[in-house]
Amino acid sequence: MVFGFFKKKKHQQNVRVLEDGSDAESGIRFSSELVPRLKSDHQELLVIYQAIQKRFAEGDLGGTVSKLADFRYLLQDHLLTENVRFYLYLSQQFAEDETNSELIRGFRQEMDAIGRIVLRFLDRYEKMADDHGLANSFLQEFGEIGAVLTKRIKKEEQTLYPLYLPHY
């Protein structure tokens, strides 16, 4: 019994304290670089989106498809980072706060649905350079995707990202 006390005490002394003041065993840790990185991803996605528009307007279907691949790569990386680092951190921080937990869960579910739609869109149009018939419906769908993503980015940056704070 006494040895268990010393063992536990020794373990507590060796626990590494993270930048948010929690210990390494408490789950996903806060990263002061995460939200700036996610915002930077948003800006880069918008730049790539505009490059896709430009290439398509010029009739460069091969260049359009190439930029769509760049968009896919960055979007998938962004979504993975958001899911693994951002949403899990917020979920653990607000586990006892039903209102914010529901807000976070709703944002996550909405983004999962948007992500699936965008990835299906990218799957469909990655063959556009070989199947020029796809170009007829591309612009309208691309505009719809852009409108949804722009609205979502604004919502995330104004409503959700401010919740990402160190735990004290």
Side-chain angles (χ1 to χ4, degrees):
M1 188 76 151
V2 172
F3 292 110
F5 169 80
F6 286 117
K7 188 175 183 180
K8 184 176 183 180
K9 183 82 169 162
K10 183 178 178 186
H11 173 73
Q12 288 173 343
Q13 290 172 344
N14 289 332
V15 170
R16 190 169 47 107
V17 175
L18 303 176
E19 82 181 80
D20 70 352
S22 66
D23 62 66
E25 296 177 352
S26 66
I28 304 296
R29 61 184 246 194
F30 177 81
S31 169
S32 60
E33 291 95 28
L34 182 60
V35 168
R37 177 193 167 191
L38 294 173
K39 286 181 176 182
S40 175
D41 287 353
H42 288 164
Q43 292 310 305
E44 193 172 343
L45 283 165
L46 293 174
V47 166
I48 295 170
Y49 183 90
Q50 290 170 345
I52 294 166
Q53 256 179 335
K54 183 177 185 276
R55 296 269 166 80
F56 186 80
E58 293 169 348
D60 180 3
L61 295 184
T64 302
V65 169
S66 175
K67 286 295 178 187
L68 286 171
D70 294 345
F71 192 86
R72 173 193 296 275
Y73 176 78
L74 180 57
L75 180 66
Q76 287 177 320
D77 182 62
H78 179 80
L79 293 174
L80 185 60
T81 300
E82 253 184 4
N83 275 322
V84 171
R85 296 183 58 205
F86 182 78
Y87 284 116
L88 289 179
Y89 177 83
L90 287 181
S91 294
Q92 78 188 15
Q93 294 307 309
F94 292 104
E96 304 300 320
D97 180 338
E98 190 175 324
T99 302
N100 280 319
S101 288
E102 187 61 35
L103 175 73
I104 293 160
R105 194 170 18 266
F107 264 95
R108 189 176 193 177
Q109 289 171 345
E110 180 186 65
M111 192 62 236
D112 287 345
I114 291 169
R116 282 190 300 275
I117 290 167
V118 173
L119 291 173
R120 276 196 304 266
F121 166 84
L122 293 168
D123 286 344
R124 179 172 181 206
Y125 289 102
E126 72 183 0
K127 302 167 194 76
M128 187 167 49
D130 299 323
D131 182 355
H132 294 227
L134 289 171
N136 297 330
S137 58
F138 175 79
L139 203 52
Q140 180 182 346
E141 286 185 53
F142 186 65
E144 292 168 2
I145 294 286
V148 168
L149 288 177
T150 302
K151 184 178 177 184
R152 174 57 191 219
I153 287 169
K154 187 175 181 180
K155 272 177 63 175
E156 280 185 1
E157 291 185 3
Q158 291 179 349
T159 305
L160 194 59
Y161 287 178
L163 295 175
Y164 187 83
L165 299 168
H167 177 72
Y168 295 103

